Each structure stands twice: as C-alpha cells, then as structure tokens.
Amino acid sequence: MKNKLKFLYVFAAGSLWGVISLFLKPLLNMGFSQIQTVTIRCLIAAAFLGVIMLVRDKSLFKFRLRDIWVFLGTGFLSQMFFSITYVYSMTYNGVCVAVILLYTSPVFVMLLSLLLFKEKITYKKLIALALTVAGCVLVSGLAGGQSIGVIGIVLGICTGLGYALYSIFGRYAIQKNYNSMTTTFYTFLFCGLGCLPFSKVGDVLPLINTRSALVALGLGIVCCVMPYFFYTKGLEYVDNTKASIIVAVEPVVASLIGVLVYNEEMTLIKFAGVVLVLSSVVICSKD
C-alpha cells in the first residue's frame, strides 16, 4: 500500500462513526435508551463478526489466555467505559459539549503513546492536534459560549480517556500479531456483555419489530463493525497519535449529516471548524 493511502483506513473509520445519527436517532425515537443502543450495536456487531469468522477461518477466535487483558482492555476499559460515560456526559453537558470533550482523546493518546510506545511528539503532530481541537470546538458550537460544571468536565474527560484507550490496547493487540477481526470481535463481545446488566432487557423486548431490527442491524454493522475494523486495521500503518487526530473527521461528517439530512444550519463558524479538522487530517496523512 502506498504511504499516502495508509491513513484512509482511519479516515474511513471516522467517517462511518460520523453517520451514526442516521441509525441512532430512529432507535431513540422508538423508545430505546442510549445504553440500550450501545448494548444492541455491540452484540449485533459481535454476532455478525462471529458468523464471518466461522465461515472464513475458525482460528480467528483463538487467543492466548495470557493475552486476555488486551481484549478486556479494548472491550471493558475502553469501549464500555467510554460508552457509559459518554451517555452521562451528553446528559450533563449536552451533545455539542460532550463531543468536544470527547476529542480530548488525542491528548491522552499522545501522552500514553509517548510513555508506553516511545512515539515521538513532533511539531507536525502538535500543530495537527491544535487544529483538531480548535476545529472540533467550532464544529460543535462550543465557541458560542457555554458553562460547564465540574461533574460535566470530569465525565467529558473520562469519555476522552476511554476513547483513547482503544488505540493503546489496540496497539498491543497488533504487537501480539492478532488479526484486526479478532480484536474487533472480542471488543464488541466484552463490551456488549458488560453493558447488558445496565440495559433493562425486559424493556427492550416490546420494542423489537421489523423496522427496529433493521435499523439496529445497520447501527451494528455500519457504525460498529466497519469503523472499528478499519480503525484497528489502520493502527497497523499509522501511529496512535496520528490515528486519533485523523479520526476527528467524525464530528465533521456528523455536522454535514445534520445539514444535509436534518436541515441544521451550516454557519460560517462551523464551516471554519470543518476546514481546520480537514487540515489536520491532511497534515497527519503526510509522512
């Protein structure tokens, strides 16, 4: 693969995460809670990947027991921790502020990668990081001014940390030569099972019908299986810090979906934020 195309795996992941509202909003309107949608998409994703692995190569299910901490890390410490804190962050802070606090994650990735993997902090990375944070602030609307309480800040930082930990544990999985599909499968399986006790399964059953099942299937495959597979695959070619910055294209895509599908306004400030985030992606795509 040409060097300039390696970042496209991560770019694709961020883009697919950005269209989540197309599936999430209908499910929420049908009566599903946020945590229920997390459980549903993770378990559907695990089941979908499990079938593919059974057909393709059953050895993909295998992992060394001494390495189980890697998948517990991606599943529980990252995906489950991030998902639960993100739900509460949106409750306390609102969606716009929750999104920008989520994208404190590149800072955590940069520092943890320096400490654990000796990744270099370059001027190019710092510039791209600054553009990403500034762009996300503008895209989210936080630039308009909004107060944030202590609880909201703590929850927001927790989402950023949880989001960042996937890059860290995902890197360990790569170093241990696990297939991207194996890592993605166990991430969803552990996260889904971990969220199950919080999901009030009895309340979900009456909501299941053909329409909700199809939407949930789309959520699990398009916004879970595909982006996490692409992101994990992308970590094979792009270092953690660059990957965490490139994936910030997510709020840009989400903003564009809001304009094109939900008739939200594209202000000059939001457009400036889009330009800044895309500029950071271009910087990171160049070696």
Side-chain angles (χ1 to χ4, degrees), residues 49 52 54 95 120 261:
L49 274 175
I52 293 177
L54 278 172
V95 175
K120 294 181 180 179
V261 179

Side-chain angles (χ1 to χ4, degrees), residues 136-208:
C136 287
V137 168
L138 296 179
V139 169
S140 70
L142 187 59
Q146 181 173 342
S147 60
I148 310 174
V150 175
I151 294 178
I153 292 174
V154 171
L155 285 171
I157 290 175
C158 284
T159 64
L161 176 59
Y163 201 51
L165 287 175
Y166 188 83
S167 295
I168 303 303
F169 286 104
R171 176 67 60 188
Y172 280 120
I174 290 169
Q175 290 182 347
K176 293 177 179 295
N177 296 316
Y178 285 108
N179 186 281
S180 301
M181 196 171 290
T182 302
T183 303
T184 309
F185 169 76
Y186 284 111
T187 296
F188 296 145
L189 181 63
F190 288 139
C191 179
L193 293 177
C195 289
L196 203 56
F198 304 97
S199 300
K200 297 181 180 179
V201 178
D203 295 340
V204 173
L205 297 178
L207 301 175
I208 298 176

Side-chain angles (χ1 to χ4, degrees), residues 17-243:
W17 277 321
V19 304
I20 194 171
S21 63
L22 296 177
F23 303 94
L24 187 58
K25 283 190 175 183
L27 286 177
L28 294 175
N29 291 336
M30 291 176 197
F32 292 91
S33 69
Q34 288 275 7
I35 192 65
Q36 286 168 347
T37 63
V38 172
T39 307
I40 289 170
R41 73 186 181 111
C42 285
L43 292 180
I44 286 177
F48 181 80
L49 274 175
V51 171
I52 293 177
M53 291 160 68
L54 278 172
V55 173
R56 179 183 172 185
D57 184 357
K58 295 182 180 62
S59 68
L60 290 171
F61 288 103
K62 295 180 181 179
F63 65 86
R64 296 175 292 276
L65 191 58
R66 66 175 181 273
D67 294 335
I68 193 173
W69 62 273
V70 174
F71 305 115
L72 292 175
T74 58
F76 287 137
L77 296 182
S78 176
Q79 181 64 212
M80 180 182 167
F81 178 65
F82 148 69
S83 297
I84 292 176
T85 55
Y86 194 40
V87 168
Y88 286 103
S89 179
M90 286 190 290
T91 300
Y92 275 91
N93 299 318
V95 175
C96 290
V97 176
V99 168
I100 185 59
L101 289 175
L102 168 62
Y103 279 94
T104 58
S105 60
V107 177
F108 289 112
V109 172
M110 183 180 290
L111 295 176
L112 289 172
S113 296
L114 171 66
L115 178 65
L116 299 173
F117 305 114
K118 311 302 179 185
E119 284 187 8
K120 294 181 180 179
I121 298 179
T122 64
Y123 286 114
K124 184 183 291 187
K125 287 180 180 179
L126 290 173
I127 291 172
L129 177 61
L131 290 174
T132 296
V133 173
C136 287
V137 168
L138 296 179
V139 169
S140 70
L142 187 59
Q146 181 173 342
S147 60
I148 310 174
V150 175
I151 294 178
I153 292 174
V154 171
L155 285 171
I157 290 175
C158 284
T159 64
L161 176 59
Y163 201 51
L165 287 175
Y166 188 83
S167 295
I168 303 303
F169 286 104
R171 176 67 60 188
Y172 280 120
I174 290 169
Q175 290 182 347
K176 293 177 179 295
N177 296 316
Y178 285 108
N179 186 281
S180 301
M181 196 171 290
T182 302
T183 303
T184 309
F185 169 76
Y186 284 111
T187 296
F188 296 145
L189 181 63
F190 288 139
C191 179
L193 293 177
C195 289
L196 203 56
F198 304 97
S199 300
K200 297 181 180 179
V201 178
D203 295 340
V204 173
L205 297 178
L207 301 175
I208 298 176
N209 53 47
T210 302
R211 181 168 179 262
S212 64
L214 289 174
V215 175
L217 191 63
L219 178 67
I221 296 173
V222 177
C223 300
C224 206
V225 172
M226 294 173 65
Y228 272 96
F229 175 78
F230 284 142
Y231 189 76
T232 306
K233 188 70 176 176
L235 290 177
E236 296 178 14
Y237 305 106
V238 182
D239 71 36
N240 287 352
T241 302
K242 284 186 177 181

Side-chain angles (χ1 to χ4, degrees), residues 10-16 18 103 132 136 244-255 277-278 280-281:
V10 181
F11 187 87
S15 299
L16 288 171
Y103 279 94
T132 296
C136 287
S244 68
I245 293 172
I246 293 170
V247 83
V249 72
E250 176 188 350
V252 170
V253 173
S255 180
V277 172
L278 293 180
S280 71
V281 172

